[in-house]
Amino acid sequence: MNAFFNEDHEALRQLARDFAERELEPIAHEIDEEEYFPVEVFNEMAEMGFFGLKIPEEYGGSGLDARAYVCVMEELSKKCVSAAVLVSAANTLGCEPLLLAGTEEQKNKYLPQVASGEAFIAFGLTEPNAGSDAGSMTTRAEEDGDDYIINGRKCFITGAPFAKYCMVFAKTDPEKGAKGISCFFVDMSLPGVSIGKNEDKMGQRAIATSDVILEDVRVPKSEMLGEVNLGFITAMKTLSMGRIGVGCQSIGLAQGAMDLAVKHIKERKQFGRRLCDFQAIQFEMAKLETKLNAARLLVYNAAFEKDMGNDVTKAAAMAKFFASETCLEVVSGCLQMFGGYGYSKEYPIERLYRDARVLTIYEGTSQIQQIVIAGQMLK
Ligand code: CAA
């Protein structure tokens, strides 16, 4: 226990740790190779309540705080970051816009489905020519009677191939740039919605990612989330919470790599001594451990600030920026301890290295996090 967590948090952490060791660790290698996430494990995660941690009880969730979410995310990420991505998507990108801007009817319709695992909601912000510059999207939603007609293409959409719905951000007033974007709930089975090919990604291969193509998709006005032209702000606020989730993935994955490296250097002998008896190795481990702990404190602090009801734009960006960069350093350093074995797919550290690489990219690159941090400092 530490200053950030109470006994309930720690009990939940233990539950998630047991689950990760029992259900995720044994399959992590295979699901990366086979590029699928088993439905049975997804359903078990739903039964454990992992998808509704932050969803209020009246909408079928557990109504827990951000720190509870952090405990679960960190533990799952130690063994299988792909599983944590599902939890992250459900608790932040998939439900935060609803919690921030949804009507009572929309919350009642969608949140129980997310909490129970019945529906996965994808987050459709990025486009082929609008990544970091999200406000320059060209997907268009035009009013037509009681509906909007949406046309455009979203890319790198996590979970799109198995999503039941997609939260689509589209221009309703293109002249106004970021201030002319609205958010729509799009049922993936609607006529005109299709998905692209599964991206052949470097890591996190168990979770399918693809384009979402929208061709004259007719969406009732009742499926607009929040007010017209305020979608960008909803997206930005959602990403703040999402970035805490990526921070959790980073510290969890890095700890997973450290655990593997510590075990390895205690066993492996070269020049007649265990690797851990070399001071050069000890210094490297001490440096990585210190950075990892600093990253962990930034992530815990961002969640704590969220629970205190404070604006976390800066805290979340700092947590995501530092934790993801640190994770790359830790995983690379740990892989180095394995020498040639670290480069072999027979050792899990190779997968962790690939899984980690996107952490400084998705939900806002490190460069974007620095823009957000500086923007908050200098406003
Ligand atoms: N809260 C409230 N309002 C906010 C806000 C926030 N966090 N961030 C911005 N706004 C407001 C601004 O105040 C501004 O309004 P005013 O002019 O009235 O002040 C308005 O929104 C526009 O903001 P900016 O002028 O700052 O917008 P910008 O176009 O310059 O972009 C940016 C800012 C921070 C670079 C933003 O575009 C950004 O975050 N880009 C990164 C996008 C990103 O993270 N993409 C990840 C996609 S999701 C994903 O990766 C998940 C997956 O599935 C893999």
Side-chain angles (χ1 to χ4, degrees):
M1 197 136 60
N2 64 39
F4 289 102
F5 301 106
N6 60 31
E7 283 176 8
D8 290 342
H9 292 130
E10 293 302 344
L12 182 62
R13 179 185 286 283
Q14 190 58 50
L15 202 76
R17 182 178 297 167
D18 293 343
F19 177 84
E21 286 173 2
R22 190 181 65 243
E23 305 294 340
L24 301 178
E25 191 172 14
I27 61 166
H29 177 74
E30 182 191 325
I31 66 176
D32 170 69
E33 291 269 299
E34 306 288 331
E35 292 183 62
Y36 80 105
F37 197 89
V39 179
E40 321 82 73
V41 181
F42 183 92
N43 290 341
E44 270 187 79
M45 288 168 68
E47 269 172 40
M48 300 282 290
F50 291 161
F51 298 136
L53 293 166
K54 286 183 59 268
I55 294 176
E57 284 177 285
E58 64 261 42
Y59 306 116
S62 307
L64 298 175
D65 57 19
R67 282 165 294 165
Y69 167 68
V70 164
C71 290
V72 172
M73 284 290 293
E74 191 180 355
E75 293 305 322
L76 301 188
S77 302
K78 283 180 189 172
K79 301 300 179 191
C80 177
V81 80
S82 291
V85 167
L86 293 172
V87 173
S88 193
N91 283 283
T92 62
L93 300 190
C95 82
E96 199 76 9
L98 277 160
L99 294 172
L100 284 168
T103 62
E104 216 33 53
E105 200 183 341
Q106 289 168 334
K107 290 183 203 172
N108 278 314
K109 181 174 173 189
Y110 297 113
L111 290 173
Q113 296 186 58
V114 177
S116 67
E118 188 190 331
F120 182 89
I121 303 178
F123 188 74
L125 182 69
T126 303
E127 295 183 4
N129 292 314
S132 289
D133 185 8
S136 70
M137 65 178 64
T138 55
T139 294
R140 183 81 168 93
E142 287 173 287
E143 230 175 326
D144 184 41
D146 289 337
D147 305 322
Y148 274 90
I149 312 283
I150 307 182
N151 280 287
R153 186 181 194 104
K154 298 291 172 179
C155 70
F156 301 131
I157 305 305
T158 303
F162 54 86
K164 190 169 176 190
Y165 308 104
C166 183
M167 206 111 45
V168 171
F169 293 85
K171 287 265 167 80
T172 32
D173 195 342
E175 306 295 309
K176 291 189 180 161
K179 288 179 181 165
I181 293 171
S182 305
C183 178
F184 298 88
F185 247 96
V186 174
D187 189 316
M188 295 291 278
S189 64
L190 282 176
V193 181
S194 58
I195 55 164
K197 67 173 176 49
N198 187 13
E199 290 292 340
D200 191 8
K201 304 193 300 283
M202 172 194 274
Q204 300 195 3
R205 294 174 66 83
I207 306 295
T209 301
S210 76
D211 285 8
V212 174
I213 301 135
L214 304 127
E215 291 166 308
D216 290 329
V217 181
R218 185 172 283 276
V219 177
K221 282 183 176 165
S222 59
E223 298 296 352
M224 182 189 280
L225 197 59
E227 288 177 47
V228 68
N229 293 339
L230 290 185
F232 189 74
I233 291 177
T234 302
M236 291 298 112
K237 287 185 176 168
T238 299
L239 282 168
S240 283
M241 194 55 213
R243 287 164 184 166
I244 298 177
V246 181
C248 298
Q249 292 166 20
S250 304
I251 58 173
L253 196 155
Q255 186 60 56
M258 287 288 265
D259 293 345
L260 293 172
V262 166
K263 184 169 182 291
H264 179 73
I265 62 176
K266 282 179 168 174
E267 289 168 2
R268 172 95 171 145
K269 282 188 178 167
Q270 291 291 279
F271 303 102
R273 280 195 288 168
R274 297 182 307 168
L275 294 188
C276 66
D277 294 327
F278 289 92
Q279 201 175 46
I281 300 276
Q282 292 170 4
F283 280 9
E284 175 68 2
M285 291 305 274
K287 183 190 77 183
L288 297 178
E289 175 74 356
T290 306
K291 288 195 176 177
L292 175 52
N293 274 281
R296 187 175 281 125
L297 291 177
L298 277 176
V299 175
Y300 290 176
N301 182 62
F304 179 75
E305 293 287 341
K306 176 81 181 171
D307 289 339
M308 294 302 108
N310 298 331
D311 178 66
V312 294
T313 308
K314 182 168 156 238
M318 292 194 302
K320 200 264 182 192
F321 171 44
F322 189 75
S324 60
E325 292 288 342
T326 300
C327 179
L328 296 199
E329 188 181 344
V330 169
V331 178
S332 176
C334 289
L335 188 146
Q336 190 72 15
M337 311 266 170
F338 282 81
Y341 294 111
Y343 201 60
S344 162
K345 282 188 184 291
E346 287 191 22
Y347 285 74
I349 193 75
E350 182 270 345
R351 171 176 48 81
L352 268 54
Y353 186 77
R354 287 185 289 105
D355 282 352
R357 190 59 191 87
V358 76
L359 298 172
T360 61
I361 298 172
Y362 65 15
E363 301 203 32
T365 61
S366 290
Q367 291 68 30
I368 290 296
Q369 305 312 320
Q370 291 171 85
I371 288 173
V372 172
I373 296 162
Q376 292 290 312
M377 288 169 70
L378 307 171
K379 70 181 175 185

